[in-house]
């Protein structure tokens, strides 16, 4: 018997099957040969929410959820956050290696020269309601770029694909900033090519009448590190959406828009906004025990806690906590921090959270920092979408080059009615209406 195999006996037929094991998985399609007879469709696995299904092979991001490890292309997230810029990490995710000095210069130059939006896109954004949520504006505007760059549909041409990737990485901060300025009724600020990626973003967000906006370097670097931490996270909900939408081969703008929509929900990227709402609702440290009691009674979730993959402290949350100290030295402490720290302390000692391995995730502290930096909570998920775009695109690129991938199309277990006939004496039918 070969070593890397699984032997399965079907007790319905007493037949035995030997299935190969590769990378700790069996192929779902290998189950199909397990049948009770010629008419039987064959065995499937039932896995709602993909709790135990690998949908692809990927060489981009590695997570060990039990040990709290996150790596991009083999590099620890802590190492990248300490030594690289976001754009270097974006290059790493896309091309597999960190750029040298010349490659960094060329890459930064390319991104910098694609930050402008077509004037019609600016006009398009201008037409949203004054109180439109920035995430809805961003999601819709990314989809609208599909109409501005019709050549983007040639997704099998790698050069064309790379041009759209550069455009998306470059334009996300511009669209994000415009969505913010729009919600405040301020005029849009055009990109400034002399600034770094995050400085330029801050310039487009906050420049008012001064001739040259100067970003605080500590805050610009903090934002850059936050972007690094959010750049990719293997097959999370929005990345899975990117791959799923992308698998039917639309252009990348439509697929990224789908991924943005998945990110917007409070169980995923929308959690950072939800954390701030929750902390405001708690209001005071004294109210925490009552709040925890309600959560344990099943009345809601502790936002920013828990993760499908991490069953140990989220390594990104640890780095974010360190950045918070640097940011607060510039901005002054966010009063919500005290509530958050106390909430974390109590939750980490509470049996309910300990037994379920619920630890703070990336969203628990990011919102507090963003708020201290001057962002409104409605912008938090947009701030997640900007850096995650490169992760989505790296995964999309990888998927398109993977010969094993096809259109994403899961199966279902049908549990509805067997065949029924319409009873014309009971319901108004077309025939009875014509007869009238
Ligand atoms: N507060 C209270 N209880 C929780 C929480 C929470 N935040 N998260 C999970 N639980 C409980 C569940 O009720 C369940 O309890 P039970 O076994 O008694 O039924 C148990 O812990 C297991 O949770 P699941 O829902 O099965 O875990 P799942 O992997 O499906 O969900 C998720 C992960 C969606 C992140 C969940 O933990 C959650 O909703 N957290 C709050 C929202 C949040 O912070 N999302 C951001 C995730 S990180 C990101 O996307 C960047």
């Amino acid at each position: 018997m070969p070593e890397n195999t699984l032997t399965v006996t079907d007790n319905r037929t007493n037949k035995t099957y030997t299935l190969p094991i590769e990378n700790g998985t069996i192929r779902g399609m290998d189950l199909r040969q397990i049948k009770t007879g010629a008419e039987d469709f064959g065995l499937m696995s039932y896995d709602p929410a993909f709790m135990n299904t690998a949908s692809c092979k990927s060489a981009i991001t590695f997570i060990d959820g039990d040990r709290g490890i996150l790596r991009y292309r083999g590099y620890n997230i802590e190492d990248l956050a300490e030594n690289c810029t976001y754009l270097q990490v974006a290059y790493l995710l896309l091309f597999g290696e960190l750029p040298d000095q010349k490659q960094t210069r060329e890459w930064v130059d390319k991104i910098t020269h694609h930050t402008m939006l077509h004037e019609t896109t600016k006009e398009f954004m201008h037409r949203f309601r004054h109180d439109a949520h920035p995430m809805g504006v961003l999601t819709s505007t990314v989809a609208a770029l599909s109409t501005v760059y019709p050549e983007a549909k040639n997704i099998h041409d790698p050069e064309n694909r790379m041009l759209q990737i550069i455009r998306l990485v470059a334009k996300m901060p511009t669209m994000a900033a415009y969505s913010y300025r729009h919600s405040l009724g301020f005029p849009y600020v055009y990109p400034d090519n002399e600034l770094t990626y995050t400085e330029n973003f801050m310039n487009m967000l906050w420049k008012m009448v001064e001739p040259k906006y100067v970003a605080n370097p500590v805050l610009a670097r903090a934002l850059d590190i936050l972007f690094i931490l959010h750049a990719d996270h293997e097959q999370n909900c929005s990345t899975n959406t990117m791959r799923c939408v992308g698998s039917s081969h639309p252009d990348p703008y439509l697929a990224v828009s789908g991924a943005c929509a998945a990110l917007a929900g409070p169980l995923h990227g929308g959690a950072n906004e939800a954390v701030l709402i929750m902390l405001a609702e708690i209001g005071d440290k004294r109210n925490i025990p009552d709040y925890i009691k309600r959560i344990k009674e099943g009345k809601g979730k502790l936002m920013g806690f828990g993760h499908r993959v991490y069953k140990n402290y989220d390594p990104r949350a640890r780095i974010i906590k360190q950045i918070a100290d640097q940011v607060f030295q510039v901005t002054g402490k966010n009063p919500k921090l005290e509530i958050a720290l106390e909430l974390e302390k109590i939750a980490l000692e509470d049996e309910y959270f300990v037994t379920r391995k619920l630890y703070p995730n990336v969203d628990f502290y990011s919102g507090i920092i963003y708020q201290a930096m001057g962002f409104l909570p409605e912008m938090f998920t947009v701030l997640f979408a900007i850096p995650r775009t490169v992760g989505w695109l790296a995964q999309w690129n990888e998927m398109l080059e993977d010969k094993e991938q096809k259109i994403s199309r899961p199966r279902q277990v049908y549990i509805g009615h067997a065949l029924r006939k319409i009873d014309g004496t009971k319901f108004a039918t077309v025939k009875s209406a014509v007869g009238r």
Side-chain angles (χ1 to χ4, degrees), residues 10 39 53 72 102 141 194 217 340:
D10 185 348
E39 294 294 299
T53 294
Y72 299 156
K102 181 166 170 281
T141 309
E194 286 177 14

Side-chain angles (χ1 to χ4, degrees), residues 308-326:
R308 173 62 59 80
V309 180
Y310 292 120
K311 300 302 169 196
N312 192 327
Y313 213 96
D314 182 339
R316 300 168 299 174
R318 190 171 285 123
I319 300 171
I320 288 183
K321 239 173 134 178
Q322 290 161 7
I323 303 174
D325 294 336
Q326 296 157 21

Side-chain angles (χ1 to χ4, degrees), residues 157-176:
D157 170 1
E159 213 177 300
N160 175 53
R161 216 155 65 210
M162 193 44 69
L163 173 60
Q164 314 314 323
I165 289 175
I166 290 168
R167 281 180 173 150
L168 269 159
V169 172
K171 291 181 204 305
M172 283 302 272
T174 316
M175 288 183 280

Side-chain angles (χ1 to χ4, degrees), residues 68-97:
I69 293 174
L70 168 62
R71 291 183 196 140
Y72 299 156
R73 303 280 190 189
Y75 293 101
N76 273 333
I77 193 69
E78 292 82 359
D79 206 2
L80 294 168
E82 196 179 327
N83 294 301
C84 301
T85 64
Y86 167 70
L87 281 186
Q88 287 174 317
V89 170
Y91 185 100
L92 171 71
L93 287 168
L94 287 165
F95 303 105
E97 296 298 335

Side-chain angles (χ1 to χ4, degrees), residues 168-218:
L168 269 159
V169 172
K171 291 181 204 305
M172 283 302 272
T174 316
M175 288 183 280
Y178 284 14
S179 72
Y180 178 70
R181 303 279 295 199
H182 179 81
S183 68
L184 297 177
F186 292 159
Y188 305 150
V189 176
Y190 286 100
D192 181 340
N193 286 357
E194 286 177 14
L195 302 176
T196 66
Y197 193 74
T198 42
E199 283 170 353
N200 174 48
F201 180 46
M202 291 163 83
N203 171 62
M204 291 187 290
L205 286 165
W206 291 315
K207 183 176 186 306
M208 295 309 279
V209 291
E210 65 274 40
K212 188 91 181 165
Y213 172 85
V214 182
N216 180 297
V218 175

Side-chain angles (χ1 to χ4, degrees), residues 203-309:
N203 171 62
M204 291 187 290
L205 286 165
W206 291 315
K207 183 176 186 306
M208 295 309 279
V209 291
E210 65 274 40
K212 188 91 181 165
Y213 172 85
V214 182
N216 180 297
V218 175
L219 301 188
R221 177 62 187 150
L223 197 54
D224 207 49
I225 296 175
L226 283 158
F227 282 2
I228 292 172
L229 303 184
H230 286 86
D232 194 51
H233 212 234
E234 52 120 303
Q235 306 313 311
N236 56 86
C237 178
S238 56
T239 302
N240 182 51
T241 306
M242 180 77 194
R243 280 181 175 259
C244 181
V245 177
S247 78
S248 75
H249 295 172
D251 70 53
Y253 301 104
L254 297 173
V256 167
S257 174
C260 280
L263 187 74
L267 298 190
H268 189 12
N272 50 16
E273 185 179 345
V275 170
L276 260 281
I277 295 168
M278 175 185 79
L279 294 176
E281 199 184 319
I282 295 174
D284 191 285
K285 266 169 43 176
R286 281 171 305 179
N287 302 330
I288 293 176
D290 265 359
Y291 197 85
I292 299 243
K293 186 164 163 277
R294 274 171 43 205
I295 299 279
K296 285 160 63 179
E297 286 166 0
K299 298 176 186 151
K301 290 221 166 123
L302 196 55
M303 298 316 286
F305 262 70
H307 200 277
R308 173 62 59 80
V309 180

Side-chain angles (χ1 to χ4, degrees), residues 216-219 324-333 372-373:
N216 180 297
V218 175
L219 301 188
D325 294 336
Q326 296 157 21
V327 168
F328 294 151
Q329 275 179 23
V330 177
T331 63
K333 229 176 215 164
M373 288 170 91

